[in-house]
Amino acid sequence: MRRAEKAHRAGQILDDLYPEQPIPLDHIDPYTLLVAVMLSARTTDKKVNEVTPALFAAADTPERMAELEVDEIHGIIREIGLAPTKARNLRRMAEQIVADGDGVRPDWEFLESLAGVGHKTAGVLMAQAFGVPAFPVDTHIHRLATRWGLSDGRNVVQTERDLKAVFPEDTWVRRHLQIIYFGREHCPALRHDLTECPICSWAATKKRIREEMGV
């Protein structure tokens, strides 16, 4: 089966399973979503959502965040993975946004210039906050795309390129979230029976199934 055919069939299954795709990170506006996405690196969305209420109570705008000391930010987010680095980046990012003067906006170059914001984080914001066609690829989407034979799995940059090639542009925003939800509920990284998976069972190659199941 060609990649395009796999993508079409997988897309139908994802649409049936997830007709609605709520954003899993609690936020108020594009700025607070950006903060939450930055905190989510190597941390579960659940843990981020436990921490952000206190953080946003203290600083829900770049101006208020820039007024906090790094130690204050760290004290609030200390349970988050890589908290010291993230605290420094949050403070620096807030200062950059304030200095720029035009707020958080759908501008790739601007977003990727901010401290702690890479291409994937910028893509999440573009897609989820502004509805701009983007296909952010994290480790989970990278894993599933490889399992399903939609990418060769060399790196996340290539995976993003491959997924954009096989899914129509007007589906990118929802596919990103649908694949994340599917991975959590049906396609975990470990102890996964590919033969019973709604997508892996027909999309994964026999070789891939043997390798992952140790057959």
Side-chain angles (χ1 to χ4, degrees), residues 13-47:
I13 293 172
L14 293 171
D15 282 338
D16 286 342
L17 288 172
Y18 309 106
E20 303 293 333
Q21 309 89 38
I23 297 173
L25 293 168
D26 296 338
H27 63 286
I28 305 164
D29 54 22
Y31 171 70
T32 52
L33 178 59
L34 178 56
V35 170
V37 175
M38 288 177 63
L39 292 177
S40 69
R42 300 190 187 179
T43 305
T44 65
D45 292 346
K46 179 181 178 182
K47 176 56 69 174

Side-chain angles (χ1 to χ4, degrees), residues 105-142:
R105 57 190 184 277
D107 181 320
W108 283 101
E109 184 177 357
F110 170 68
L111 292 174
E112 292 184 11
S113 74
L114 299 174
V117 179
H119 181 68
K120 191 270 290 186
T121 297
V124 172
L125 200 71
M126 292 290 275
Q128 297 180 6
F130 300 112
V132 175
F135 212 130
V137 174
D138 61 9
T139 55
H140 306 292
I141 292 178
H142 179 62

Side-chain angles (χ1 to χ4, degrees), residues 24-210:
L25 293 168
D26 296 338
H27 63 286
I28 305 164
D29 54 22
Y31 171 70
T32 52
L33 178 59
L34 178 56
V35 170
V37 175
M38 288 177 63
L39 292 177
S40 69
R42 300 190 187 179
T43 305
T44 65
D45 292 346
K46 179 181 178 182
K47 176 56 69 174
V48 173
N49 289 337
E50 291 174 357
V51 168
T52 49
L55 180 62
F56 296 153
D60 60 355
T61 66
E63 291 77 11
R64 293 180 66 190
M65 188 74 75
E67 292 175 353
L68 295 181
E69 297 295 333
V70 172
D71 287 346
E72 293 180 87
I73 300 172
H74 179 259
I76 298 172
I77 68 169
R78 63 185 180 279
E79 296 180 6
I80 294 287
L82 305 176
T85 299
K86 290 176 181 177
R88 290 192 296 272
N89 284 338
L90 286 177
R91 168 67 184 275
R92 178 57 185 150
M93 178 188 74
E95 292 174 336
Q96 289 174 288
I97 294 171
V98 172
D100 176 77
D102 288 331
V104 178
R105 57 190 184 277
D107 181 320
W108 283 101
E109 184 177 357
F110 170 68
L111 292 174
E112 292 184 11
S113 74
L114 299 174
V117 179
H119 181 68
K120 191 270 290 186
T121 297
V124 172
L125 200 71
M126 292 290 275
Q128 297 180 6
F130 300 112
V132 175
F135 212 130
V137 174
D138 61 9
T139 55
H140 306 292
I141 292 178
H142 179 62
R143 181 183 75 249
L144 268 61
T146 305
R147 273 180 173 169
W148 299 348
L150 298 180
S151 180
D152 61 16
R154 280 182 290 173
N155 53 63
V156 294
V157 174
Q158 184 61 48
T159 297
E160 178 181 346
R161 189 177 297 121
D162 291 339
L163 292 177
K164 285 181 173 180
V166 295
F167 287 111
E169 184 174 321
D170 62 357
T171 70
W172 291 353
V173 173
R174 75 174 187 270
R175 288 286 179 265
H176 160 73
L177 285 170
Q178 287 171 331
I179 294 174
I180 288 174
Y181 281 121
F182 186 89
R184 291 175 180 174
E185 298 177 10
H186 299 281
C187 205
L190 303 175
R191 295 180 293 278
H192 176 49
D193 186 346
L194 277 68
T195 63
E196 297 296 324
C197 176
I199 296 181
C200 293
S201 59
W202 55 266
T205 64
K206 292 180 180 178
K207 179 175 182 291
R208 180 82 187 195
I209 291 175
R210 288 196 301 270

